[in-house]
Amino acid sequence: MRLTFDPEVEEFRAEFAAFLAEHAPEEAEAAERPRSSSHIPEWARRWQRLMFDEGWLLPGNPPEFGGRDATLLQQYVHLEEMAARKMYHSFNPQGLGIIAASLLSFGTEEQKRRWVVPILRAEITASLGMSEPGAGSDLASLRTRAVLEGDHFTVNGQKVWTSGAHDADVLLTFVRTDPDAPKHKGISVLLIPTDTPGLTRRPFGSIAGRDDLDFNEVFFEDVRVPKENLVGGLNDGWRVANGSLGHERNMLWLHFATRLEEQVRDFRPATELDRDWYATLVMDAQALRLMGSAALARAARGEQDVAALSVLKLFGSEAAQKAAERTLEAQGAEGLYPTPTGPYAHLNLDVFITGWFERYARSFGGTIAGGTSEIQRTVIAERVLGLPRG
């Protein structure tokens, strides 16, 4: 394997690095922090807008959607440069990485104009309404109901774990539109503005503390949604869901690889036990980087390998969780104090993390978001090992 890139890819990297060096906001400018994953401070809105206008927000997109038609390898080095600086595209990650991407894949031209461009330009923010009290990982069990009545849908039901919903302008919401169809086939997707009468959002705390208000319960009571806000076809929501989750996990392994490599650089083993674990950490980081690079090379050749993404997501999320746990143990009481921030911390998406305990607590989200570890094991069992469905 040759872990290098062609000259044109490196030229692309150098151009982006020069843009960051010239335009990245200074720490003093970026003093205001976001309240949630759907709240973007004004300075960050300006920064995201500049990235969009210059084609650096999502370079794989066409220019009218904040990109420059970059190749897959160019997109990868773009992410590498961001990760090396602990920088992220947006403080509304699900808006960019899931919702706008899903609308580009499944939305109408009018929906792209009305919703995608404002989301990408940080003029509005978006949250994802999938999980329900009785339908977490099993989306097909959702019960939030939408009834088509002439020119609108009437929605009733509840969502939960809806990150950033209390600060979002719109929810991409999965609803049941045909209760008599098989559970995978009766689902549709609606764009629901959060100021619609009958929609109530209630934020609640997490394991990181009661003041960590990102999760929400969302209640729908006779919420009227225009028919033109249907994304994809009626009862075609399962296809949209698969596309949405695919956008979320596409290069998720790079996030976990970067996390592991940070700990390789920062952790200093003091005992024999620490050294043994440190060797495991180094091997995990190297293995994830190599497996991810192989998957990237296959994707660049146009080969589809869904199972490889499941292997990477499972291995990466669980290795990062184990690494955070062992680091917290090794640090003892010191692990409860803030970690070093670094020169780009003001642009870091992990704005609420103030110590190794919180990093460990939040690592559980990595084994859930983008498909739980249990789901990934099922995919691997069926598609890699060839085991029968059980």
Side-chain angles (χ1 to χ4, degrees):
M1 179 184 295
R2 181 168 57 90
L3 297 180
T4 58
F5 297 97
D6 294 335
E8 57 267 27
V9 176
E10 292 299 345
E11 289 173 11
F12 184 90
R13 183 202 298 271
E15 184 182 355
F16 181 50
F19 169 83
L20 293 177
E22 181 178 356
H23 296 289
E26 298 293 336
E27 187 168 0
E29 177 189 358
E32 183 185 358
R33 312 308 295 150
R35 298 187 300 260
S36 75
S37 58
S38 287
H39 170 246
I40 306 178
E42 187 54 41
W43 69 266
R45 290 179 186 268
R46 292 193 299 269
W47 167 239
Q48 185 172 322
R49 215 163 287 144
L50 176 64
M51 295 268 284
F52 178 96
D53 292 342
E54 297 296 324
W56 290 120
L57 184 66
L58 296 169
N61 286 358
E64 62 268 28
F65 295 115
R68 47 183 64 199
D69 293 316
T71 67
L72 183 63
L73 294 181
Q74 288 173 330
Q75 294 173 58
Y76 176 78
V77 298
H78 173 270
L79 290 175
E80 273 198 327
E81 291 301 307
M82 298 282 280
R85 296 164 174 79
K86 298 184 181 179
M87 296 170 66
Y88 295 81
H89 303 82
S90 172
F91 285 127
N92 181 215
Q94 69 273 15
L96 262 68
I98 301 176
I99 297 163
S102 297
L103 292 175
L104 287 175
S105 296
F106 302 103
T108 64
E109 292 305 312
E110 170 60 19
Q111 288 171 346
K112 293 174 187 178
R113 183 195 63 78
R114 182 181 175 190
W115 301 105
V116 174
V117 172
I119 290 172
L120 295 179
R121 287 180 51 80
E123 294 163 0
I124 63 174
T125 62
S127 290
L128 182 65
M130 274 190 169
S131 297
E132 297 184 4
S137 297
D138 183 14
L139 176 67
S141 296
L142 69 84
R143 292 184 294 178
T144 295
R145 180 83 182 275
V147 178
L148 182 59
E149 299 175 328
D151 62 354
H152 70 276
F153 290 89
T154 300
V155 181
N156 285 279
Q158 179 187 355
K159 297 293 179 180
V160 73
W161 312 113
T162 313
S163 298
H166 60 300
D167 287 316
D169 297 294
V170 65
L171 303 179
L172 186 72
T173 310
F174 288 74
V175 295
R176 185 160 300 284
T177 44
D178 187 350
D180 299 321
K183 63 180 187 177
H184 291 82
K185 297 184 180 297
I187 297 172
S188 298
V189 185
L190 297 174
L191 284 160
I192 306 181
T194 55
D195 60 358
T196 305
L199 191 155
T200 303
R201 297 162 284 171
R202 295 179 184 169
F204 59 91
S206 74
I207 191 173
R210 288 181 298 176
D211 295 330
D212 171 35
L213 297 180
D214 196 42
F215 292 139
N216 279 253
E217 295 178 295
V218 183
F219 299 90
F220 304 89
E221 298 180 29
D222 294 328
V223 174
R224 291 168 60 97
V225 181
K227 185 178 178 180
E228 59 264 27
N229 287 21
L230 175 69
V231 179
L234 187 66
N235 301 320
D236 195 28
W238 190 252
R239 184 171 66 98
V240 178
N242 286 330
S244 298
L245 294 175
H247 292 306
E248 185 177 15
R249 68 171 69 104
N250 191 29
M251 285 194 189
L252 192 57
W253 67 268
L254 180 59
H255 166 76
F256 296 121
T258 302
R259 276 289 174 81
L260 292 172
E261 290 161 355
E262 285 176 9
Q263 289 178 248
V264 168
R265 289 192 300 269
D266 296 342
F267 190 75
R268 295 295 178 265
T271 67
E272 190 66 33
L273 185 62
D274 286 344
R275 283 191 287 272
D276 180 69
W277 171 76
Y278 185 74
T280 299
L281 172 63
V282 172
M283 289 187 290
D284 284 350
Q286 289 284 352
L288 185 58
R289 177 67 68 170
L290 292 170
M291 289 191 299
S293 297
L296 178 69
R298 289 193 294 272
R301 294 193 297 267
E303 301 173 16
Q304 297 293 322
D305 194 346
V306 175
L309 294 179
S310 290
V311 171
L312 288 166
K313 201 277 178 178
L314 175 65
F315 177 67
S317 62
E318 297 202 344
Q321 184 178 89
K322 286 187 291 185
E325 179 182 21
R326 293 301 297 270
T327 304
L328 178 61
E329 288 176 351
Q331 303 235 344
E334 293 295 319
L336 301 178
Y337 290 91
T339 52
T341 54
Y344 290 95
H346 56 293
L347 299 178
N348 196 324
L349 185 64
D350 299 321
V351 292
F352 302 114
I353 293 180
T354 58
W356 279 106
F357 168 74
E358 290 196 22
R359 176 166 289 193
Y360 171 62
R362 291 176 181 279
S363 71
F364 288 87
T367 63
I368 297 171
T372 65
S373 290
E374 291 77 13
I375 288 175
Q376 306 307 332
R377 286 188 170 91
T378 298
V379 172
I380 294 165
E382 293 175 358
R383 300 197 182 190
V384 177
L385 302 179
L387 298 178
R389 290 182 177 231

